[in-house]
Structure formats: structure tokens, C-alpha cells
Amino acid sequence: MSDVGVLLREWRGNRRLSQLQLAGRAGVSARHLSFVETGRSRPTREMILRLAEELGVPLRARNALLLAGGFAPAFAEHDLDGPDLAAVLASLRDVLAGHEPFPAVLIDRHWTMVDGNAAVGLLVEGAAATLLEPPVNVLRLSLHPDGMAPRIRNLAQWRTHVLHRLDRQALATGDPALRALHDELRELPGGLAPGTPDGLVVPLRFDAGGHELVFFSVTSVLGTPLDVTLSELAVESFLPADEETASFLKAR
């Protein structure tokens, strides 16, 4: 089998699509798709990109598919600290500042914190210095017993939410680092909440010096990224879920 055919078949299986379903979406025959997956037919660059689009393959993995098919990558990947991304990063930092006095962080594909606004200090206060040394993984920081976990009043519920979300992300991206992070965090203490959560969103109930702050999280991504690095960035913001939380944060 050709490498690209194997990879395409793995992505199709990951998305739980039959050859017939994917072929219909991509506008090709199921026979041709079968030939591509078994290596009997060499896909064109355009075919690889079309199938990757229908499969929702991340840009980084699309480049890997192209390389496996013998083609150059289609999507650039620039360094976060380089001049090419400076303008976009400056705008994203403005977004972080605009969320104050509510906490917000900029994260990469592995939940490593790229930057955060001043309000994040309230959440990480008292966390072990080792967890705050770069690179800081925000999920590890939140669920570790030396991090935020002792101050999360609904820890089992929040752990369940985080682990479920991370599991889905690892499945969707096929990223082994995310799967390893999920398995690591699952071993931390704190339990899991049974059943389906009540309410409209899963809240984060946080103890701030005896005050219970209640947040809901919002994830924002760039709408049309054509750069691998930018496609993997997200702003994770924590907005007040009640008036008491909003008033407390505004008064700080």
C-alpha cells in the first residue's frame, strides 16, 4: 500500500465514514477511492487536498498527507516568535486584554500557554512554581493537585468535562501527544462525575479566598487560517456565569 493511501484510510476510519460515503462527499467514485487507499492508484495533489477537506483533517496533517503522496506541503508553518506572525499575535494579545477583568489565555494545539492576561493570576495563585515554569500546560495546571485543583469546588465535574473534551480532540486530530496528555491527566486524583451534567454549560466553580466564582469557558479560533501555526492557536476565555462573579472581578 502507498503511504498516502494508508493515511487516508486511517483518517476515514477515524471519521467513521465508509468508502462510499467519503467518495460521495468528495465527488469521486468509490472504486477510485478504493484504488487510492490500496495503492493501486496514485492520487493527485488536488485529490489529496479534496479528500482531506472532506475528512476535516488539520492543516498539519494535510501537509503530512501531501508529503506521503510525493508533493510539497500546501500550508506554511511559521515560528510563533518570528516576524511573519507578529501582527496576528499582537491582535490576539489585544483580544486577551479586552477580556479583562475576566481571565483569558492563548494556547497552542497541545494546550501550552502562549500568553495570558493579567486576570489569569487570580486562577493560578498558590500553584506550585514547577507548574508555572514555561512551557505551561494549562490543562495540567488546572487538574494537578499542586495546581488549581484544590480550589475547584466541582473538581470531579470539571475533570470529566476536560477529559472528555481532550479525548475528543485527540481523536479528531490523531495527535499522540494529546492522547498521552489525556492518559496522564486521567491518572491524577479528583474523581469523575457520573451521568450527564445538569444545566446549559459545565461551570467552573472556583474558590477565590472564600468567594465562589462561577465561570463558563469559551474557545475562539481564527476563522480562515492558512498557516499551520495559526490554525492551532485558540483563545480560551473564562466568562462570569453569574452577577456575583462579574461584580467580584470588576471590583478587583
Side-chain angles (χ1 to χ4, degrees), residues 58-67 72-86 89 108-110 175 225-233:
L59 298 192
R60 181 179 297 277
R62 295 188 196 195
N63 279 346
L65 285 171
L66 287 169
L67 287 170
F75 305 97
E77 181 179 358
H78 293 96
D79 189 82
L80 267 177
D81 298 323
D84 295 288
L85 303 187
L89 282 177
D108 68 11
R109 74 187 192 279
H110 292 145
D175 191 329
L226 295 176
D227 178 89
V228 173
T229 305
L230 291 180
S231 73
E232 296 170 342
L233 293 180

Side-chain angles (χ1 to χ4, degrees), residues 62-177:
R62 295 188 196 195
N63 279 346
L65 285 171
L66 287 169
L67 287 170
F71 302 101
F75 305 97
E77 181 179 358
H78 293 96
D79 189 82
L80 267 177
D81 298 323
D84 295 288
L85 303 187
V88 178
L89 282 177
S91 295
L92 290 174
R93 290 186 170 105
D94 287 341
V95 172
L96 295 179
H99 277 288
E100 293 177 0
F102 311 135
V105 293
L106 179 64
I107 56 173
D108 68 11
R109 74 187 192 279
H110 292 145
W111 291 86
T112 303
M113 186 168 71
V114 177
D115 207 344
N117 65 13
V120 172
L122 174 68
L123 299 182
V124 303
E125 190 176 294
T130 54
L131 293 173
L132 298 175
E133 293 175 358
V136 176
N137 184 279
V138 298
L139 295 188
R140 183 182 295 113
L141 177 61
S142 69
L143 298 186
H144 199 283
D146 295 329
M148 294 167 53
R151 299 170 65 191
I152 299 177
R153 292 186 174 181
N154 61 330
L155 180 58
Q157 184 185 44
W158 187 250
R159 273 176 48 82
T160 302
H161 163 68
V162 168
L163 290 172
H164 176 67
R165 181 177 176 183
L166 188 54
D167 177 64
R168 290 171 60 90
Q169 185 182 1
L171 183 64
T173 61
D175 191 329

Side-chain angles (χ1 to χ4, degrees), residues 12-42:
R12 180 175 60 78
N14 180 281
R15 299 299 189 253
R16 299 182 179 180
L17 292 174
S18 67
Q19 285 185 342
L20 186 61
Q21 288 172 319
L22 177 57
R25 293 184 181 186
V28 300
S29 71
R31 178 183 175 86
H32 180 57
L33 178 58
S34 176
F35 279 15
V36 167
E37 291 187 353
T38 57
R40 296 176 64 184
S41 178
R42 183 173 181 268

Side-chain angles (χ1 to χ4, degrees), residues 208-219:
H211 298 274
E212 182 179 82
L213 306 182
V214 187
F215 299 96
F216 65 90
S217 63
V218 175
T219 304

